[in-house]
């Protein structure tokens, strides 16, 4: 494939693909058709399974712009192929954002807007203005050809225009007319997340065309030609049951997903047409650019839209897993800013999510200017929305890449090769070669293998369900057995959700007061500090109950103040703006003096209470990127307004006047954070008198959040969950690394990591403080040791070899290191334990980086900001049961981290079960292959009912009971192997094969050496099936002494191999505790002994055996494995995983870890075209 012909679509995204164009070729199609007929349809099946072969076999290469068929290959590690048909759509314009004249649109759009793919030249009146738009659909996404970039691209919505916040207000706030809306629908289609539930017939065809079932069909036909009717019937019954179960499960998942999106698929909405005109419409008709009215009683959002007027209280649990309502404010309009147009940023749903209403989220309440409507501009529709992308990730998941499954296919091929070699010597009559060789393949690759391999996973999933862990991706349970690193969110995962007030420390005249325990003291009611605590939050009343962020709730409750939603009368006094008020209760105000004028004093007291009432005029919601929130308020009776700010102490201090921040601010903050407290800083600013209510509504937050007066600190305690230290200790003993990824302060996170045992008391913490390039200086990393290493001057600056160290860094440092220090990144994550102030996308980047050095990564979080990381990790465990957790492979109903060791233990048990079953099934195939090959050599074979007894009574019963061993009660340091192709495992299988072969040949030869044995001539039995004596001759060639001997020997071998391979400790409970397996094995062994020593004529006739005594054998698996392990360990082992290689290199690096108080600079390489960086350490 020539590189110049390749196009890249979705560049830089998770679903990036290479695209090449092809045109259908008639002569190739004819050849493929003839080939399909000649091969009985097998060629068609092969091309159905292999999209790349299908396209290349039926098409010729062409330019992408002229292609009839698009062939795509993912650029990730899976390199999957996709085929898509390129269609042509007739549209009145080439761009969805063109402003076409209404008359050129209306006559076409009315007929063809809903489904552009149905457009055809015959349906639309040809017009010189018609545009031929080429597009194809893949994974519910349309890719349109763009002439300007000469490539296919996805039309996402208004974000394609790279519009600024001011242009959202100026160009898109009026909405679209009917014709514009219908024209855009040509490109964007209906606004629906259409999860089609396939019919049972379609699912059946797709399932039956699975290679496994095709192989089974081939096997059944072959057995029928060889008169093995009963066994073929048994396999057909098993396949039907398997297909029915699979269809039921798949159908159920589709129905569940369909129901999940049905809630907002079609609702009635009010759409703005021009300045004052509105109309009712169905949500499915919405397109990007429409302006919708959000009703006051709420709605489930049918699209992604940006608020341009008013405020909404939203439950976003569908997206974030956080059930706490959040306040969404209208998008700032920088052009109306009093300083004019500063900070006019490009609108982005991610950057401006505090102003964006996402599809599927529930609008609980709206707030607005009296007489005006709450409006939002539709930004994205259908599968382009946030919920649409979530559904797409479920509908089209990435395949599970696990060494076990790759090795399984290689192993099966090896088995077929071995069987073929074994069989060659016994082929005497040429006419039997084809049937017998095909028969050997069906014996070597047992039809029950896939069902047997999944048995352990099914049982593990059932056990996990009992402890409250649910999975949407059962195949990942095996991968959980390989986890060697787990990332944890802090708040709500390692620590309790709620925060407790520990105290406050106020600042006056640039100095800290002594810390105070309570904020609801009467002496503090009139202070700006308490006013800030009472007013700076996003709380609201829903059905009379205070609701909002738990931190805001605790802070507000600590003041003892009351929140009052405004009435219409109160609103009328405040320039028609609906306000929320906070006020102190009467009992907190100064006490009245007892005097004869008691009544007057009481009335004055009420006036005093009213005068302390504070109205919240504008909220700037909390932003995790900015790490702060602020409010503009006005106290009753005051003409000027105030601004209050709260947030991360470092951020708040940087926005305050230097003279108001105490000199010992850093020391006091460090002291609190080292003790593990959560610290929030407060600030205040008196605003200019020229600021009116309406000006405040359009001002940029940067104009408010500056030149503040520092007010002090709120100290909150975030207690560890009681289970956390014990679980982390279990993981540490099992050699599973633990990492903390949090949005909290760095020192707080380090303190919590020490408290919970993630960092041991004697270990050192090295903080990597990375700074981006500035004023011509290169990016650099300042290294300093936590816990004031300067105090320990007696100690050497270089860490001792035996001393453990951990790296800690903030999200800002992590971003700089990713951009400028790629060489250092992998070294840092090798010992990185604390990652603080991390944004959601940075959590995902961290997981990807850890996986790039061959860690098997687990991620455990509460779902709030962890969705991306939960999806990206090998095993993501959400502690939230809300809808967002559908993206996470695992969900725990127990809100603590005890689910992590449970999942790893069950994963290890399931993985070992898979190994045991695979080894057993491999030996079963080889034993049966050897038996058949030996019998073929004398013209005999196993009987139909003998096959049936072995495969149904022995193999299926043993496989499904040997998989029942539950997980071992504790995690051990040893990890199970990840692949089948390993020395000990191969040695185990090969030695068992040799032992089985030896005993079968021994029995085969011994029986023929006995005096009374006479060798019959069975070859004359292979006669055409229509001859009369066929049934008798077949009986004679099966029911004989050799057949009976081989049957009994092989039957005992199956049972002995099952016992040998049924591994117990240290990953599973011992086999003797698995009573169904023990009982089944004993019953089968007893039955075999019984029919050997006490023959029953009916049973003997059924199984077609003679009376004969045979010799059994035993095999020892553990001894051979231990011998090989001992031999292998004598040589120095070279680690396979990259992180082990890195650890070896760093262990001999004299300059690692960096010394305290040193700096590492990134310098551009000497070649101008080379953008890599050289690392230079400066002490």
């Amino acid at each position: 494939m020539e590189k110049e012909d390749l196009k890249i679509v979705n560049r830089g995204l998770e679903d990036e693909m290479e695209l090449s164009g092809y045109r259908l070729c008639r002569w190739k199609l004819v050849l493929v058709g003839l080939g399909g007929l000649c091969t009985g349809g097998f060629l068609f099946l092969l091309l159905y399974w292999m999209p790349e072969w299908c396209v290349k076999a039926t098409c010729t290469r062409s330019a992408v712009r002229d292609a009839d068929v698009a062939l795509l290959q993912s650029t990730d590690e899976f390199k999957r192929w996709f085929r898509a048909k390129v269609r042509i759509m007739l549209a009145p314009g080439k761009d969805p954002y063109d402003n076409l004249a209404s008359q050129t649109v209306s006559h076409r759009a009315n007929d063809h807007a809903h489904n552009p793919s149905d457009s055809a030249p015959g349906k639309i009146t040809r017009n010189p203005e018609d545009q031929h738009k080429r597009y194809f659909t893949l994974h519910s996404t349309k890719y349109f050809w763009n002439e300007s970039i000469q490539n296919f691209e996805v039309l996402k919505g208004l974000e394609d225009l790279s519009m600024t916040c001011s242009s959202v207000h100026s160009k898109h706030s009026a909405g679209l007319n009917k014709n514009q809306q219908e024209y855009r629908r040509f490109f964007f289609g209906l606004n629906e997340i259409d999860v089609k539930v396939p019919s049972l017939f379609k699912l059946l065809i797709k399932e039956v065309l699975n290679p496994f079932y095709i192989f089974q069909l081939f096997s059944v036909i072959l057995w029928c030609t060889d008169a093995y009717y009963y066994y073929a019937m048994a396999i057909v019954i098993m396949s039907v049951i398997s297909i029915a179960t699979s269809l039921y499960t798949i159908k159920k998942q589709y129905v569940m997903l369909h129901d999940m999106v049905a809630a907002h698929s079609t609702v009635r909405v009010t759409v703005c047409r021009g300045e004052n005109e509105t109309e009712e419409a169905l949500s499915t008709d919405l397109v990007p650019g429409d302006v919708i009215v959000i009703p006051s009683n709420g709605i489930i959002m049918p699209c992604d839209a940006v608020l341009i007027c008013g405020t909404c209280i939203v439950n976003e649990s569908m997206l974030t897993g956080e059930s706490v309502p959040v306040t969404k404010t209208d998008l700032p309009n920088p052009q109306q800013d009093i300083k004019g147009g500063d900070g006019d940023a490009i609108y982005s749903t991610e950057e401006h999510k505090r102003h964006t209403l996402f599809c599927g989220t529930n609008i609980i309440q709206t707030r607005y200017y009296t007489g005006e409507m709450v409006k939002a501009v539709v930004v994205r529709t259908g599968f382009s929305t946030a919920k649409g992308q979530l559904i797409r990730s479920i509908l089209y998941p990435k395949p599970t890449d696990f060494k076990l499954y790759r090795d399984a296919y290689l192993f099966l091929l090896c088995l077929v090769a071995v069987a073929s070699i074994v069989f060659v010597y016994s082929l005497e009559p040429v006419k039997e070669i084809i049937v017998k060789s095909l028969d050997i393949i069906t014996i070597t690759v047992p039809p029950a293998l896939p069902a047997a391999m999944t048995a352990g996973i099914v049982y593990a999933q059932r056990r996990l369900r009992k402890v409250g862990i649910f999975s949407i991706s059962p195949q990942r349970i095996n991968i959980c057995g390989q986890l060697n690193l787990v990332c944890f969110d802090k708040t709500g995962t390692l620590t309790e959700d709620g925060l407790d007030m520990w105290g406050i420390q106020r600042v006056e005249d640039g100095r800290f007061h002594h810390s105070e325990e309570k904020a609801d003291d009467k002496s503090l009611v009139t202070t700006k500090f308490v006013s800030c605590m009472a007013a700076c939050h996003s709380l609201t009343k829903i059905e009379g109950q205070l609701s909002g962020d738990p931190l805001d709730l605790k802070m507000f409750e600590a003041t003892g103040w009351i929140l009052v939603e405004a009435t219409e009368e109160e609103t009328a006094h405040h320039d028609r703006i609906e306000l929320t008020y906070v006020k102190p209760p009467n009992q907190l105000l100064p006490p009245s003096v007892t005097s004869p004028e008691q009544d007057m004093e009481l009335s004055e007291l009420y006036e005093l209470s009213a005068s302390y009432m504070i109205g919240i005029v504008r909220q700037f919601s909390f932003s995790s990127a900015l790490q702060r929130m602020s409010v503009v308020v006005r106290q009753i009776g005051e003409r000027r307004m105030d601004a209050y700010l709260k947030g991360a102490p470092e951020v708040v201090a940087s926005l305050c006047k230097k003279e108001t921040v105490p000199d010992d601010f850093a020391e006091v903050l460090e002291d609190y954070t080292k003790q593990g407290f959560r610290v929030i800083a407060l600030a205040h600013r008196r605003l200019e008198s020229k600021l009116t209510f309406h000006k405040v509504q359009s001002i940029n937050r940067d104009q408010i959040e500056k030149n503040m007066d520092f007010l002090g600190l709120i100290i909150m305690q975030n207690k560890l969950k009681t289970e956390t230290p014990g679980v982390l200790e279990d993981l540490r003993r099992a050699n599973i690394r633990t990492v903390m990824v949090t949005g909290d302060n760095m020192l707080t996170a380090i303190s919590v990591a020490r408290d919970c045992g993630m960092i041991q008391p004697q270990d050192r913490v090295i903080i990597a403080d990375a700074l981006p390039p500035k004023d011509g200086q290169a990016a650099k990393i300042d290294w300093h040791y936590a816990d004031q290493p300067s105090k320990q001057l007696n100690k050497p600056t270089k860490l001792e070899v035996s001393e453990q160290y951990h790296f800690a860094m903030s999200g800002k440092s992590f971003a700089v290191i990713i951009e400028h220090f790629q060489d250092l990144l992998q070294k840092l994550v090798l010992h990185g334990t604390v990652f603080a102030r991390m944004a959601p996308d940075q959590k995902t980047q961290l997981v990807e980086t850890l996986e790039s050095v061959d860690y098997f990564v687990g991620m455990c979080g509460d779902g709030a900001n962890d969705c991306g990381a939960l999806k990206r990790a090998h095993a993501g465990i959400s502690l939230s049961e809300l809808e967002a957790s559908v993206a996470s492979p695992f969900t725990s109903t127990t809100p603590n981290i005890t689910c992590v060791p449970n999942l790893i233990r069950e994963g290890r048990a399931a993985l070992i079960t898979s190994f045991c079953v695979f080894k057993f099934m491999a030996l079963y195939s080889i034993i049966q292959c050897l038996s058949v090959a030996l019998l073929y050599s004398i013209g005999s074979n196993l009987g139909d009912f003998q096959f049936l007894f072995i495969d149904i009574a022995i193999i299926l019963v043993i496989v499904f009971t040997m998989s029942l061993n539950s997980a071992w009660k504790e995690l051990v340091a040893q990890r199970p192997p990840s692949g089948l192709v390993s020395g000990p495992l191969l040695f185990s299988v090969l030695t068992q094969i040799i032992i089985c072969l030896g005993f079968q040949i021994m029995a085969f030869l011994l029986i023929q050496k006995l005096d009374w044995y006479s060798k019959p001539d069975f070859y004359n039995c292979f006669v055409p099936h229509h001859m009369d004596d066929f049934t008798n001759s077949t009986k004679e060639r099966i029911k004989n002494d050799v057949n009976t001997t081989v049957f009994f020997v092989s039957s005992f071998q199956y049972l002995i191999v099952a016992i040998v391979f049924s591994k117990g400790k240290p990953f599973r409970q011992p086999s003797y505790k698995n009573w169904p397996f023990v009982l089944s094995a004993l019953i089968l062994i007893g039955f075999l002994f019984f029919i050997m020593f006490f023959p029953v004529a009916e049973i003997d006739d059924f199984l077609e055996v003679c009376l004969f005594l045979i010799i059994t054998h035993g095999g020892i698996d553990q001894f051979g494995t231990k011998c090989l392990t001992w031999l292998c360990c004598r040589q120095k082992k070279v680690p396979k995983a990259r992180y082990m290689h890195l650890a070896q290199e760093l262990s001999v690096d004299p300059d690692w870890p960096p010394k305290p108080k040193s700096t590492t600079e990134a310098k551009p390489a000497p070649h101008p075209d080379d953008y890599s960086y050289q690392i230079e350490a400066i002490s």
Side-chain angles (χ1 to χ4, degrees), residues 474-541:
Q475 291 298 328
R476 288 191 185 234
I477 294 174
N478 270 347
I479 299 177
C480 293
Q482 282 294 309
L483 293 184
N484 50 14
L485 185 147
V486 184
C487 298
F488 292 97
D489 182 33
K490 183 179 80 71
T491 309
T493 304
L494 297 174
T495 61
E496 298 287 353
D497 265 320
L499 293 162
D500 296 319
M501 276 290 295
W502 183 85
I504 60 173
Q505 191 148 7
R506 294 184 297 123
V507 168
E508 281 186 8
D509 302 323
R511 292 183 182 177
F512 276 116
H513 280 254
H514 290 295
S515 60
E516 297 161 274
E517 201 172 315
K518 293 184 178 180
D520 59 355
D521 193 272
K522 291 179 182 179
S523 61
L524 302 178
V525 173
T526 58
T527 61
K528 296 292 182 191
F529 188 94
V530 171
S531 297
C532 182
M533 286 180 68
C536 193
H537 53 71
S538 56
L539 299 177
T540 186
K541 276 194 173 177

Side-chain angles (χ1 to χ4, degrees), residues 953-1101:
I954 298 181
I955 303 304
L956 283 186
V957 170
I958 289 297
V959 159
F960 289 112
T961 55
M962 78 185 294
S963 303
L964 284 169
N965 288 41
S966 54
W968 184 239
K969 57 192 174 188
E970 60 188 36
L971 283 173
V972 294
Q974 181 187 350
R975 282 193 304 129
S978 59
L980 287 164
V981 183
S982 63
L985 193 144
L986 289 175
F987 182 78
S988 164
V989 172
L990 286 172
T991 50
Q992 289 295 335
I993 289 173
I994 292 165
I995 292 169
C996 292
L997 177 62
F999 273 93
Q1000 282 206 32
I1001 292 174
M1002 192 190 306
F1004 179 75
L1005 296 174
L1006 277 174
I1007 188 68
Q1008 297 182 61
K1009 291 198 183 281
L1010 293 175
D1011 298 335
W1012 46 261
Y1013 175 78
S1014 62
K1015 182 178 180 181
D1017 180 15
F1018 293 122
Y1019 286 111
N1020 60 13
C1021 298
F1022 293 112
V1023 289
H1025 289 197
H1026 64 269
M1027 294 187 69
D1028 296 334
D1029 62 340
F1030 172 72
T1031 307
N1032 294 329
S1033 62
T1034 302
K1035 264 193 169 184
E1036 286 171 13
R1037 72 187 178 100
I1038 290 171
K1039 190 169 182 179
N1040 58 76
D1041 297 328
V1042 177
N1043 170 286
T1044 303
T1045 303
V1046 171
F1047 170 72
F1048 277 121
V1049 169
S1050 61
S1051 296
F1052 279 108
Q1053 284 180 338
Y1054 299 134
L1055 293 169
I1056 292 165
V1057 164
I1059 294 165
V1060 168
F1061 283 157
S1062 187
K1063 195 177 174 67
K1065 289 192 295 184
F1067 305 117
R1068 304 198 308 166
Q1069 293 287 351
S1071 292
Y1072 61 80
K1073 289 191 176 181
N1074 179 0
W1075 64 265
F1077 172 69
V1078 173
L1079 194 63
S1080 302
L1082 288 175
I1083 289 171
L1084 284 166
I1085 290 169
F1087 176 75
L1088 287 170
F1089 273 119
F1090 176 77
I1091 62 174
M1092 277 170 56
F1093 294 111
F1094 304 98
V1096 178
E1098 289 79 8
I1099 296 174
D1100 288 352
D1101 287 341

